[in-house]
Amino acid sequence: MPVLYVPAKNGNVKAVQLLLSESISREDPYWLTVSANLMSSDAIFQLVGKGLNEQNLKKLLLVAAQRGHSPSQYELSKFAKTSSGQKRWLTEAAEQGHVKAIEALYEYYASKDQVEKTQRWGELASKHSPQIAVRLATQVWKSGDEAYAKQLLKMAQEQGHVEASTMLSLIKKFSPLSSIKTNDPTSATCTMAIQFVAATLPAMIKIDKIIDRFSKDSRFDDFPVCFNPPVWVNAPTMQCGDDPAVRLSCSLSGLIGIAGQRPFSHAVVVAEHGVANVHNGIMYLDENDDYQVFVHEFAHFAGFIDEYPINESMAEKFCSRNNAPNLVFSKTAPNINATQFAPYINRYPGLALSEARTCQTNEFQAFKPSSELTFLEQHEIGRIPDIYLDIWRKVLTERTSLTPAYVNFAQYFDSSGQHAEAQKWWLRYHQYRQIPEV
């Protein structure tokens, strides 16, 4: 080994290569370091992926990294045993403009919810990664900084990112809460006027897809339902829950602000995380819920009840009541002629009741006017029997059993002691439920 060192030190490339090879084969850490010190940083880096064992590669990379060689610093970060060691080498590489190190730091701080550092490295990464630009845009949008989010989306758009272009287009299409026109007209033919509200950027994309799918869904062509122009309200105002395992809910202040300027009877709020549900006249959807989930929840607006087994407390509430549009509750099998489904017998010859699984935790049994597995038991199959559509249409047309969002607003003001304001919404609720003149 010493024989090779002299010519290697004097710049003989072949001697350096032989010295390195001998050091590796003998697993001699001293001569390995000596060899590395005689090599250029780029030459050391070229050994990555050449079959060296981890220990030898780390020693070589350390020499180059300590010289300030950013590619070696980035590679060395992968071998760090601690987060502080990883951050040290990533930071040194990133501060020299190493793109992968910058992106890695963004991912690291994003996973730790360290907002300032996430934004610092995310902004730098966005210059090279449109995907990160879009992700960062959705994050800062949630914080209420719409202007900065738009800048990031434009940066991604310039790099050819299609979703960024879509988001920018939808931001223009959706009205912000502050620009809603007073008394924006709603069609007089609609017994249900639905206001879609996006609490996040991805929610805008989801709402746009739902509206498009619904407009092309012939099953609902003659439903007296209208969609108001969609609105976005920033996340700090909406204050939505963020637990994927919990029923989604949001503050009502943003919706009440919209209702004061634009009439609607029902609302659909799409937020980041949470279990889809309907509470009176408000539907909450997770931004990852698909169109079939929307249709399932849309039926709940008309009072339809789930046909999968509901929990004990829900069964106690629903299964002993008179009926639901899609279900009859009884301890024994009822005669269909004595149920609300009797008017449909002539139109559907052979119509019969079948057991539904809704009330399995209760002494009552639920019966449905179909033997099919429907969208109310498994939303993903999307199957809506024709009789359900007829019943649904009748409920919407009569609207005496519909519960609009006015109830949510009235309860909100009552709970905060603002009874005079609550009375205004209770009045609107009772006016809404009156049978419309023909």
Side-chain angles (χ1 to χ4, degrees):
M1 299 281 275
V3 174
L4 292 171
Y5 174 68
V6 175
K9 184 179 180 182
N10 291 327
N12 188 308
V13 175
K14 188 173 182 179
V16 173
Q17 292 174 340
L18 287 171
L19 184 61
L20 176 65
S21 178
E22 283 294 313
S23 302
I24 292 172
S25 64
R26 297 183 186 186
E27 296 186 356
D28 189 319
Y30 172 76
W31 284 107
L32 188 67
T33 302
V34 170
S35 301
N37 285 323
L38 295 174
M39 298 169 64
S40 70
S41 297
D42 286 336
I44 292 174
F45 185 71
Q46 293 302 315
L47 296 172
V48 174
K50 300 298 184 182
L52 295 180
N53 66 42
E54 181 179 321
Q55 184 177 359
N56 289 336
L57 183 57
K58 282 169 62 177
K59 286 184 177 297
L60 291 168
L61 287 174
L62 180 61
V63 173
Q66 288 174 334
R67 294 175 186 165
H69 190 250
S70 61
S72 297
Q73 291 168 337
Y74 173 71
E75 288 298 324
L76 191 59
S77 72
K78 299 177 183 179
F79 297 113
K81 302 297 184 183
T82 64
S83 60
S84 59
Q86 181 187 34
K87 283 189 295 181
R88 173 199 169 184
W89 292 116
L90 283 176
T91 302
E92 290 198 21
E95 287 177 343
Q96 296 184 74
H98 191 277
V99 173
K100 289 185 178 180
I102 292 170
E103 293 177 357
L105 280 176
Y106 163 76
E107 298 289 353
Y108 175 83
Y109 288 117
S111 70
K112 302 296 182 182
D113 291 326
Q114 296 187 31
V115 178
E116 290 185 8
K117 291 182 178 180
T118 298
Q119 290 193 9
R120 177 195 172 192
W121 294 110
E123 185 170 354
L124 290 172
S126 296
K127 297 176 181 178
H128 309 281
S129 170
Q131 291 80 13
I132 288 179
V134 171
R135 285 176 56 193
L136 184 58
T138 61
Q139 291 168 339
V140 300
W141 183 276
K142 285 194 301 180
S143 70
D145 193 346
E146 292 89 9
Y148 181 36
K150 290 178 187 177
Q151 289 178 12
L152 290 164
L153 290 175
K154 288 176 182 176
M155 192 183 300
Q157 183 185 43
E158 290 167 357
Q159 297 176 64
H161 197 278
V162 176
E163 188 174 290
S165 297
T166 301
M167 286 181 171
L168 286 168
S169 176
L170 290 175
I171 290 171
K172 293 179 181 179
K173 181 178 179 180
F174 281 53
S175 301
L177 177 59
S178 60
S179 69
I180 297 175
K181 296 178 181 178
T182 302
N183 296 324
D184 216 351
T186 302
S187 174
T189 63
C190 303
T191 59
M192 183 178 288
I194 297 178
Q195 180 63 64
F196 281 89
V197 180
T200 66
L201 282 174
M204 292 187 191
I205 295 178
K206 180 61 62 177
I207 289 171
D208 195 58
K209 289 180 178 178
I210 288 173
I211 292 174
D212 181 65
R213 283 284 300 275
F214 189 87
S215 70
K216 298 173 182 175
D217 196 331
S218 60
R219 297 174 297 182
F220 306 117
D221 279 348
D222 58 351
F223 274 33
V225 174
C226 296
F227 292 163
N228 282 349
V231 172
W232 62 261
V233 180
N234 64 36
T237 299
M238 291 303 295
Q239 298 179 37
C240 298
D242 193 28
D243 188 337
V246 175
R247 284 166 62 93
L248 183 58
S249 64
C250 305
S251 168
L252 293 181
S253 58
L255 284 177
I256 292 171
I258 298 170
Q261 298 173 279
R262 173 189 287 167
F264 65 84
S265 61
H266 295 72
V268 178
V269 179
V270 182
E272 187 172 16
H273 295 306
V275 177
N277 68 95
V278 165
H279 178 56
N280 295 323
I282 301 175
M283 180 193 306
Y284 295 101
L285 295 178
D286 183 303
E287 63 189 28
N288 293 310
D289 287 329
D290 61 16
Y291 178 69
Q292 304 298 356
V293 174
F294 165 76
V295 171
H296 177 100
E297 299 299 331
F298 180 42
H300 291 323
F301 271 164
F304 284 65
I305 292 179
D306 294 317
E307 293 176 359
Y308 56 76
I310 58 179
N311 62 46
E312 190 171 348
S313 62
M314 294 289 284
E316 186 68 27
K317 177 181 178 181
F318 291 114
C319 296
S320 59
R321 62 188 262 182
N322 293 331
N323 290 312
N326 60 313
L327 296 174
V328 172
F329 303 105
S330 177
K331 292 183 179 179
T332 58
N335 185 327
I336 193 169
N337 291 291
T339 70
Q340 75 264 31
F341 307 123
Y344 301 95
I345 292 176
N346 290 336
R347 182 169 183 180
Y348 297 96
L351 184 66
L353 296 176
S354 298
E355 291 186 358
R357 300 197 300 147
T358 305
C359 301
Q360 285 189 355
T361 60
N362 191 274
E363 60 180 327
F364 286 84
Q365 174 62 51
F367 297 88
K368 60 183 182 178
S370 174
S371 59
E372 294 183 70
L373 184 67
T374 80
F375 74 117
L376 289 166
E377 183 167 359
Q378 291 185 8
H379 70 265
E380 58 271 18
I381 68 171
R383 173 62 182 144
I384 309 178
D386 288 343
I387 187 173
Y388 281 53
L389 291 169
D390 284 344
I391 295 168
W392 198 342
R393 191 179 298 105
K394 182 175 183 291
V395 171
L396 291 175
T397 302
E398 293 179 351
R399 84 179 182 197
T400 55
S401 60
L402 298 178
T403 303
Y406 312 144
V407 172
N408 302 71
F409 302 156
Q411 292 173 342
Y412 170 82
F413 284 114
D414 269 335
S415 67
S416 61
Q418 301 178 64
H419 303 299
E421 192 65 29
Q423 279 302 112
K424 296 178 184 178
W425 291 108
W426 284 123
L427 178 61
R428 290 189 65 175
Y429 162 65
H430 291 299
Q431 290 173 336
Y432 175 83
R433 297 258 294 212
Q434 292 176 2
I435 298 176
E437 295 181 3
V438 180

